[in-house]
Amino acid sequence: LPSSLRVGDVAALYMRRSVLLIRLLNSLVSAGVAFLPIDSAYNLEVVVHRVKTSCAGVCFVDVHKLCSGKIRN
C-alpha cells in the first residue's frame, strides 16, 4: 500500500473480481483504510465523479483497464 494512506483514509477500487482484489481489500482493511468499490463496468465519467465526491486519496485500477484504453494518463 502507498505510505500516504492512513487510518480512516478512503481508497477507491476500480477493479474486476480477482485474487489481487481480495489481497488488496485484506491489506486495506488491516491498515484501517476505508474502501470504495467501483464497478468495473462503469464508464470513465462515472468513475471520475465517484472518486472526486468520495475524497479518495488513491484509486487502484486493474491492469486490464489500462490496456483496454479506457483510462489514459
Coordinates of all heavy atoms in Angstrom, one line a residue:
L1 N 0.8 -1.2 0.0 CA 0.0 0.0 0.0 C 0.9 1.2 0.0 O 1.9 1.3 0.6 CB -0.9 0.0 1.2 CG -2.0 -1.0 1.4 CD1 -2.7 -0.9 2.7 CD2 -2.9 -1.0 0.2
P2 N 0.4 2.3 -0.6 CA 1.1 3.6 -0.6 C 1.3 4.1 0.8 O 0.4 4.0 1.7 CB 0.3 4.5 -1.4 CG -0.6 3.7 -2.2 CD -0.8 2.4 -1.4
S3 N 2.5 4.6 1.2 CA 2.7 5.0 2.5 C 1.9 6.2 2.9 O 1.8 6.6 4.0 CB 4.2 5.3 2.7 OG 4.6 6.4 1.8
S4 N 1.3 6.9 1.9 CA 0.5 8.1 2.1 C -0.9 7.7 2.7 O -1.6 8.6 3.3 CB 0.3 8.9 0.9 OG -0.3 8.1 -0.1
L5 N -1.3 6.5 2.6 CA -2.6 6.1 3.2 C -2.5 5.9 4.7 O -1.6 5.2 5.2 CB -3.1 4.7 2.5 CG -3.6 4.8 1.1 CD1 -3.9 3.4 0.6 CD2 -4.8 5.7 1.0
R6 N -3.4 6.5 5.4 CA -3.5 6.5 6.8 C -4.8 5.9 7.3 O -5.8 5.8 6.5 CB -3.4 7.9 7.4 CG -2.1 8.6 7.0 CD -0.9 8.2 7.8 NE 0.3 8.9 7.4 CZ 1.4 8.4 7.1 NH1 1.5 7.1 7.0 NH2 2.4 9.1 6.7
V7 N -5.0 5.6 8.5 CA -6.2 5.1 9.1 C -7.3 6.1 8.8 O -7.1 7.3 9.1 CB -6.1 4.8 10.6 CG1 -7.4 4.5 11.3 CG2 -5.0 3.7 10.9
G8 N -8.4 5.6 8.3 CA -9.6 6.5 8.0 C -9.6 7.1 6.6 O -10.6 7.6 6.2
D9 N -8.5 7.0 5.9 CA -8.5 7.4 4.5 C -9.4 6.5 3.7 O -9.7 5.4 4.1 CB -7.1 7.4 3.9 CG -6.2 8.5 4.5 OD1 -6.7 9.4 5.1 OD2 -4.9 8.4 4.2
V10 N -9.7 7.0 2.5 CA -10.5 6.3 1.5 C -9.7 5.9 0.3 O -9.0 6.7 -0.3 CB -11.7 7.1 1.1 CG1 -12.6 6.3 0.1 CG2 -12.6 7.5 2.3
A11 N -9.8 4.6 -0.1 CA -9.1 4.2 -1.3 C -10.2 3.6 -2.3 O -11.0 2.8 -1.9 CB -8.1 3.1 -1.0
A12 N -10.2 4.1 -3.5 CA -11.2 3.6 -4.5 C -10.6 2.4 -5.2 O -9.4 2.3 -5.4 CB -11.5 4.7 -5.5
L13 N -11.5 1.4 -5.5 CA -11.0 0.2 -6.2 C -11.8 0.1 -7.5 O -13.0 -0.3 -7.4 CB -11.3 -1.0 -5.3 CG -10.6 -0.9 -3.9 CD1 -11.1 -2.1 -3.0 CD2 -9.1 -1.0 -4.0
Y14 N -11.2 0.3 -8.6 CA -11.8 0.2 -9.9 C -11.2 -1.1 -10.6 O -10.4 -1.0 -11.4 CB -11.6 1.4 -10.7 CG -12.2 1.5 -12.1 CD1 -13.5 1.2 -12.2 CD2 -11.5 2.1 -13.1 CE1 -14.2 1.3 -13.5 CE2 -12.1 2.2 -14.4 CZ -13.4 1.8 -14.5 OH -14.0 1.9 -15.8
M15 N -11.7 -2.2 -10.1 CA -11.1 -3.5 -10.5 C -12.1 -4.6 -10.7 O -13.2 -4.5 -10.1 CB -10.1 -3.9 -9.4 CG -9.0 -2.9 -9.1 SD -8.0 -3.4 -7.7 CE -7.1 -4.8 -8.3
R16 N -11.7 -5.6 -11.5 CA -12.5 -6.8 -11.6 C -12.3 -7.6 -10.4 O -11.4 -7.5 -9.7 CB -12.1 -7.6 -12.8 CG -12.3 -6.9 -14.2 CD -11.8 -7.8 -15.3 NE -10.4 -7.9 -15.2 CZ -9.6 -8.6 -16.0 NH1 -10.2 -9.3 -17.0 NH2 -8.3 -8.7 -15.9
R17 N -13.3 -8.6 -10.2 CA -13.1 -9.5 -9.1 C -11.9 -10.4 -9.4 O -11.8 -11.0 -10.5 CB -14.3 -10.4 -9.0 CG -15.5 -9.6 -8.4 CD -16.7 -10.5 -8.3 NE -17.8 -9.7 -7.9 CZ -19.1 -10.1 -7.9 NH1 -19.4 -11.3 -8.4 NH2 -20.0 -9.4 -7.5
S18 N -11.0 -10.5 -8.5 CA -9.8 -11.3 -8.7 C -9.1 -11.6 -7.4 O -9.4 -11.0 -6.4 CB -8.8 -10.6 -9.7 OG -8.3 -9.4 -9.0
V19 N -8.0 -12.4 -7.4 CA -7.2 -12.7 -6.3 C -6.5 -11.4 -5.8 O -6.4 -11.1 -4.6 CB -6.2 -13.8 -6.5 CG1 -5.3 -14.0 -5.4 CG2 -7.0 -15.1 -6.8
L20 N -6.1 -10.7 -6.8 CA -5.4 -9.4 -6.4 C -6.4 -8.5 -5.7 O -6.0 -7.8 -4.7 CB -4.9 -8.7 -7.7 CG -4.3 -7.3 -7.5 CD1 -3.1 -7.4 -6.7 CD2 -3.9 -6.7 -8.9
L21 N -7.6 -8.4 -6.1 CA -8.6 -7.5 -5.4 C -8.8 -8.0 -4.0 O -8.8 -7.2 -3.0 CB -9.9 -7.6 -6.2 CG -11.1 -6.8 -5.5 CD1 -10.8 -5.3 -5.3 CD2 -12.4 -7.0 -6.3
I22 N -8.9 -9.3 -3.8 CA -9.1 -9.8 -2.4 C -7.9 -9.5 -1.5 O -8.0 -9.1 -0.4 CB -9.3 -11.4 -2.4 CG1 -10.6 -11.7 -3.2 CG2 -9.4 -11.9 -1.0 CD1 -11.8 -11.1 -2.7
R23 N -6.7 -9.7 -2.1 CA -5.5 -9.3 -1.3 C -5.4 -7.8 -1.0 O -5.0 -7.5 0.1 CB -4.2 -9.8 -2.1 CG -4.1 -11.2 -2.2 CD -2.8 -11.6 -2.9 NE -2.6 -13.1 -2.9 CZ -1.8 -13.7 -3.7 NH1 -1.0 -13.0 -4.6 NH2 -1.7 -15.0 -3.7
L24 N -5.8 -7.0 -1.9 CA -5.8 -5.6 -1.7 C -6.8 -5.2 -0.7 O -6.5 -4.4 0.2 CB -6.1 -4.9 -3.0 CG -6.0 -3.3 -3.0 CD1 -4.7 -2.8 -2.4 CD2 -6.3 -2.8 -4.4
L25 N -8.0 -5.8 -0.7 CA -9.0 -5.5 0.3 C -8.5 -5.9 1.7 O -8.7 -5.1 2.6 CB -10.3 -6.3 0.0 CG -11.2 -5.7 -1.1 CD1 -12.3 -6.7 -1.5 CD2 -11.7 -4.3 -0.7
N26 N -7.9 -7.0 1.8 CA -7.4 -7.5 3.1 C -6.3 -6.5 3.6 O -6.4 -6.2 4.8 CB -6.8 -8.9 2.9 CG -6.3 -9.5 4.2 OD1 -7.0 -9.3 5.2 ND2 -5.2 -10.1 4.2
S27 N -5.5 -6.0 2.7 CA -4.4 -5.1 3.2 C -5.0 -3.8 3.6 O -4.6 -3.2 4.6 CB -3.5 -4.8 2.0 OG -2.8 -6.0 1.7
L28 N -6.0 -3.3 2.9 CA -6.7 -2.0 3.2 C -7.4 -2.1 4.5 O -7.2 -1.2 5.4 CB -7.7 -1.6 2.1 CG -7.1 -1.2 0.8 CD1 -8.2 -1.1 -0.3 CD2 -6.3 0.1 0.9
V29 N -8.2 -3.2 4.7 CA -8.9 -3.3 6.0 C -7.9 -3.5 7.2 O -8.1 -2.9 8.2 CB -9.9 -4.5 5.9 CG1 -10.5 -4.8 7.2 CG2 -11.0 -4.2 4.9
S30 N -6.9 -4.2 7.0 CA -5.9 -4.4 8.0 C -5.2 -3.1 8.4 O -4.9 -2.9 9.6 CB -4.8 -5.4 7.6 OG -5.4 -6.7 7.4
A31 N -5.1 -2.2 7.4 CA -4.4 -0.9 7.7 C -5.4 0.1 8.2 O -5.1 1.3 8.4 CB -3.8 -0.4 6.4
G32 N -6.7 -0.2 8.3 CA -7.7 0.7 8.7 C -8.2 1.7 7.7 O -8.7 2.8 8.0
V33 N -8.0 1.4 6.4 CA -8.3 2.3 5.3 C -9.7 1.9 4.8 O -10.0 0.7 4.6 CB -7.3 2.2 4.2 CG1 -7.7 3.0 3.0 CG2 -5.9 2.6 4.7
A34 N -10.6 2.8 4.6 CA -11.9 2.6 4.1 C -11.8 2.3 2.6 O -10.9 2.9 1.9 CB -12.9 3.7 4.3
F35 N -12.6 1.5 2.0 CA -12.5 1.3 0.5 C -13.9 1.6 -0.1 O -14.9 1.4 0.4 CB -12.0 -0.1 0.2 CG -12.9 -1.2 0.7 CD1 -14.0 -1.7 -0.1 CD2 -12.8 -1.8 1.9 CE1 -14.8 -2.7 0.4 CE2 -13.6 -2.8 2.4 CZ -14.6 -3.3 1.6
L36 N -13.8 2.1 -1.3 CA -14.9 2.4 -2.2 C -14.9 1.5 -3.4 O -14.1 1.8 -4.3 CB -14.9 3.9 -2.6 CG -15.9 4.3 -3.6 CD1 -17.3 4.2 -3.1 CD2 -15.6 5.7 -4.2
P37 N -15.7 0.5 -3.4 CA -15.7 -0.4 -4.6 C -16.4 0.3 -5.8 O -17.5 0.9 -5.6 CB -16.4 -1.6 -4.2 CG -17.3 -1.2 -3.1 CD -16.6 0.0 -2.4
I38 N -15.8 0.3 -6.9 CA -16.4 0.9 -8.1 C -16.5 -0.2 -9.2 O -15.5 -0.8 -9.5 CB -15.5 2.1 -8.7 CG1 -15.4 3.2 -7.6 CG2 -16.1 2.7 -9.9 CD1 -14.5 4.3 -8.0
D39 N -17.7 -0.4 -9.6 CA -18.0 -1.5 -10.6 C -17.1 -1.3 -11.8 O -17.0 -0.2 -12.4 CB -19.5 -1.4 -11.0 CG -19.9 -2.6 -11.8 OD1 -19.1 -3.2 -12.6 OD2 -21.1 -3.1 -11.6
S40 N -16.4 -2.4 -12.3 CA -15.5 -2.3 -13.4 C -16.3 -2.0 -14.7 O -15.7 -1.7 -15.7 CB -14.7 -3.6 -13.5 OG -15.5 -4.7 -13.7
A41 N -17.6 -2.1 -14.7 CA -18.4 -1.9 -15.9 C -18.7 -0.4 -16.1 O -19.2 0.0 -17.2 CB -19.7 -2.7 -15.9
Y42 N -18.5 0.4 -15.1 CA -18.8 1.8 -15.2 C -17.9 2.5 -16.2 O -16.7 2.2 -16.3 CB -18.7 2.5 -13.8 CG -19.7 2.2 -12.8 CD1 -19.4 2.4 -11.4 CD2 -20.9 1.7 -13.1 CE1 -20.4 2.2 -10.5 CE2 -21.9 1.4 -12.2 CZ -21.6 1.6 -10.8 OH -22.5 1.4 -9.9
N43 N -18.4 3.5 -16.8 CA -17.6 4.3 -17.8 C -16.7 5.3 -17.0 O -16.9 5.5 -15.8 CB -18.4 5.0 -18.8 CG -19.4 6.0 -18.3 OD1 -19.1 6.7 -17.3 ND2 -20.5 6.2 -18.9
L44 N -15.8 5.9 -17.7 CA -14.8 6.7 -17.0 C -15.4 8.0 -16.3 O -15.0 8.3 -15.2 CB -13.8 7.2 -18.0 CG -12.6 8.0 -17.5 CD1 -11.9 7.2 -16.4 CD2 -11.6 8.3 -18.6
E45 N -16.5 8.5 -16.9 CA -17.1 9.7 -16.3 C -17.7 9.4 -15.0 O -17.6 10.2 -14.0 CB -18.2 10.3 -17.3 CG -17.6 10.9 -18.5 CD -17.2 9.9 -19.6 OE1 -17.8 8.7 -19.6 OE2 -16.4 10.2 -20.4
V46 N -18.3 8.2 -14.8 CA -18.9 7.8 -13.6 C -17.8 7.6 -12.5 O -17.9 8.0 -11.4 CB -19.8 6.6 -13.8 CG1 -20.3 6.0 -12.4 CG2 -21.0 6.9 -14.7
V47 N -16.8 6.9 -13.0 CA -15.7 6.6 -12.1 C -15.0 7.9 -11.5 O -14.8 8.1 -10.3 CB -14.6 5.8 -12.8 CG1 -13.3 5.6 -11.9 CG2 -15.2 4.4 -13.2
V48 N -14.8 8.9 -12.4 CA -14.2 10.2 -12.0 C -15.1 10.9 -11.0 O -14.6 11.4 -10.0 CB -13.9 11.1 -13.2 CG1 -13.6 12.5 -12.8 CG2 -12.8 10.5 -14.1
H49 N -16.4 10.9 -11.3 CA -17.4 11.5 -10.4 C -17.3 10.8 -9.0 O -17.3 11.5 -7.9 CB -18.8 11.5 -10.9 CG -19.8 11.9 -10.0 ND1 -20.0 13.3 -9.7 CD2 -20.7 11.3 -9.2 CE1 -21.0 13.4 -8.8 NE2 -21.4 12.2 -8.5
R50 N -17.4 9.5 -9.0 CA -17.4 8.8 -7.7 C -16.1 9.0 -6.9 O -16.1 9.2 -5.7 CB -17.6 7.3 -7.9 CG -18.9 7.0 -8.6 CD -19.8 6.3 -7.6 NE -21.2 6.3 -8.1 CZ -21.9 5.2 -8.4 NH1 -21.3 4.0 -8.2 NH2 -23.1 5.3 -8.8
V51 N -15.0 9.0 -7.6 CA -13.7 9.2 -6.9 C -13.6 10.6 -6.3 O -13.2 10.8 -5.2 CB -12.5 8.9 -7.8 CG1 -11.2 9.3 -7.2 CG2 -12.4 7.4 -8.2
K52 N -14.0 11.6 -7.1 CA -13.9 13.0 -6.6 C -14.8 13.2 -5.5 O -14.5 13.9 -4.5 CB -14.3 14.0 -7.8 CG -13.1 14.2 -8.8 CD -13.5 15.2 -9.8 CE -12.4 15.4 -10.8 NZ -12.8 16.4 -11.8
T53 N -16.1 12.8 -5.5 CA -17.0 13.0 -4.5 C -16.7 12.2 -3.2 O -17.2 12.6 -2.1 CB -18.5 12.8 -4.9 OG1 -18.6 11.4 -5.4 CG2 -18.9 13.7 -6.0
S54 N -16.0 11.2 -3.3 CA -15.6 10.4 -2.1 C -14.4 10.9 -1.4 O -14.1 10.4 -0.3 CB -15.4 8.9 -2.5 OG -14.2 8.8 -3.2
C55 N -13.7 11.8 -2.0 CA -12.4 12.3 -1.5 C -11.4 11.2 -1.3 O -10.6 11.2 -0.4 CB -12.6 13.0 -0.2 SG -13.6 14.5 -0.3
A56 N -11.4 10.2 -2.2 CA -10.5 9.1 -2.2 C -9.1 9.6 -2.4 O -8.9 10.4 -3.3 CB -10.8 8.0 -3.2
G57 N -8.2 9.2 -1.6 CA -6.8 9.6 -1.7 C -6.0 8.9 -2.8 O -5.0 9.3 -3.3
V58 N -6.5 7.7 -3.2 CA -5.9 6.9 -4.2 C -7.0 6.0 -4.9 O -8.0 5.7 -4.3 CB -4.8 6.0 -3.6 CG1 -5.4 5.0 -2.6 CG2 -4.0 5.3 -4.7
C59 N -6.8 5.7 -6.2 CA -7.7 4.8 -6.9 C -6.9 3.7 -7.5 O -6.0 4.0 -8.3 CB -8.4 5.6 -8.0 SG -9.6 4.6 -8.9
F60 N -7.1 2.5 -7.0 CA -6.5 1.3 -7.6 C -7.2 0.9 -8.8 O -8.4 0.7 -8.8 CB -6.4 0.2 -6.6 CG -5.5 0.5 -5.4 CD1 -6.1 1.0 -4.2 CD2 -4.2 0.3 -5.4 CE1 -5.3 1.3 -3.1 CE2 -3.4 0.6 -4.3 CZ -3.9 1.1 -3.2
V61 N -6.5 0.7 -9.9 CA -7.1 0.4 -11.2 C -6.5 -1.0 -11.7 O -5.3 -1.2 -11.6 CB -6.8 1.5 -12.3 CG1 -7.4 1.1 -13.6 CG2 -7.3 2.8 -11.8
D62 N -7.3 -1.8 -12.2 CA -6.9 -3.1 -12.7 C -6.1 -2.9 -14.0 O -6.4 -2.0 -14.8 CB -8.2 -3.9 -13.1 CG -8.0 -5.4 -12.8 OD1 -6.9 -5.8 -12.6 OD2 -9.0 -6.1 -12.8
V63 N -5.2 -3.7 -14.3 CA -4.3 -3.6 -15.5 C -5.1 -3.7 -16.7 O -4.9 -3.0 -17.7 CB -3.2 -4.7 -15.4 CG1 -2.5 -4.7 -16.7 CG2 -2.3 -4.5 -14.3
H64 N -6.2 -4.5 -16.8 CA -7.0 -4.6 -18.0 C -7.6 -3.3 -18.4 O -7.8 -3.0 -19.6 CB -8.1 -5.7 -17.9 CG -9.3 -5.2 -17.2 ND1 -9.4 -5.2 -15.8 CD2 -10.5 -4.9 -17.7 CE1 -10.6 -4.7 -15.5 NE2 -11.3 -4.5 -16.6
K65 N -7.9 -2.4 -17.5 CA -8.4 -1.1 -17.8 C -7.4 -0.2 -18.5 O -7.7 0.5 -19.4 CB -8.9 -0.3 -16.5 CG -10.1 -1.0 -15.8 CD -11.3 -0.7 -16.7 CE -12.5 -1.3 -15.9 NZ -13.7 -1.3 -16.8
L66 N -6.2 -0.3 -18.1 CA -5.1 0.5 -18.7 C -4.8 -0.1 -20.1 O -4.6 0.7 -21.0 CB -3.8 0.4 -17.9 CG -3.9 1.0 -16.5 CD1 -2.6 0.8 -15.7 CD2 -4.2 2.5 -16.6
C67 N -4.8 -1.4 -20.3 CA -4.5 -2.0 -21.5 C -5.7 -1.8 -22.6 O -5.4 -1.8 -23.8 CB -4.2 -3.5 -21.4 SG -2.7 -3.8 -20.4
S68 N -6.9 -1.7 -22.1 CA -8.0 -1.6 -23.0 C -8.2 -0.2 -23.5 O -9.0 0.1 -24.4 CB -9.3 -2.0 -22.3 OG -9.6 -1.1 -21.3
G69 N -7.4 0.8 -22.9 CA -7.5 2.2 -23.4 C -8.6 2.9 -22.7 O -8.9 4.1 -23.1
K70 N -9.3 2.4 -21.7 CA -10.4 3.1 -21.1 C -9.9 4.2 -20.1 O -10.6 5.1 -19.8 CB -11.3 2.1 -20.2 CG -12.0 1.1 -21.1 CD -13.0 0.3 -20.3 CE -13.8 -0.6 -21.2 NZ -14.7 -1.4 -20.5
I71 N -8.6 4.0 -19.7 CA -8.0 5.1 -18.9 C -6.7 5.5 -19.5 O -5.9 4.6 -19.9 CB -7.8 4.5 -17.4 CG1 -9.1 4.2 -16.8 CG2 -7.0 5.5 -16.6 CD1 -9.1 3.7 -15.4
R72 N -6.5 6.8 -19.6 CA -5.3 7.3 -20.2 C -4.7 8.3 -19.2 O -5.4 8.9 -18.4 CB -5.5 8.0 -21.5 CG -6.0 7.0 -22.5 CD -5.9 7.6 -23.9 NE -6.1 6.6 -24.9 CZ -7.3 6.4 -25.5 NH1 -8.3 7.1 -25.2 NH2 -7.4 5.4 -26.4
N73 N -3.4 8.4 -19.2 CA -2.7 9.4 -18.4 C -3.1 10.8 -18.7 O -3.3 11.2 -19.7 CB -1.2 9.3 -18.5 CG -0.7 7.9 -17.9 OD1 -1.4 7.3 -17.1 ND2 0.4 7.5 -18.4

